Amino acid sequence: MADYQTFDIVEEITRNDGTKYREIGNLLHNGQAEYAAEQGMIREVRIMKINIPHSRNVETYEKYVNDNFHIYSQVAIPEWIEWTKTPEMDAVINKVLQENQLS
């Protein structure tokens, strides 16, 4: 398992069914998503913004993800794990998107 992860990018992930969602992550997460796309676990990943400010909302989401999900330490992951969100975390992500003019 990876050490505590800090987040600094916004990505758009396209699932295999064509639906998309936005995720707050980092370069490790992006590398894993690129690998997952190459392996057919997801269709595509696209970085929307890099070096986002480390706001209170980003910190809140980081804590949620680090506390609730297994984060692999390597890029070559055995499976793609979509971080499921509570309604509260959906609201936090929407605030991060607004803070970064991506909503």
Side-chain angles (χ1 to χ4, degrees), residues 23-92:
E23 190 59 87
I24 314 303
N26 57 21
L27 288 178
L28 173 63
H29 186 263
N30 182 258
Q32 292 170 339
E34 291 285 350
Y35 178 83
E38 291 171 0
Q39 300 300 311
M41 298 176 210
I42 61 174
R43 187 178 294 174
E44 182 181 42
V45 60
R46 178 173 72 97
I47 294 177
M48 299 183 69
K49 190 161 189 175
I50 59 173
N51 297 324
I52 62 173
H54 201 240
S55 68
R56 185 171 307 271
N57 289 311
V58 172
E59 290 175 358
T60 299
Y61 188 61
E62 281 174 355
K63 181 170 178 11
Y64 170 76
V65 170
N66 280 281
D67 289 350
N68 291 287
F69 298 96
H70 174 82
I71 300 172
Y72 293 104
S73 58
Q74 71 278 4
V75 171
I77 55 175
E79 64 181 330
W80 177 253
I81 299 172
E82 183 174 335
W83 299 331
T84 54
K85 295 149 190 79
T86 63
E88 294 82 10
M89 288 303 110
D90 279 335
V92 167

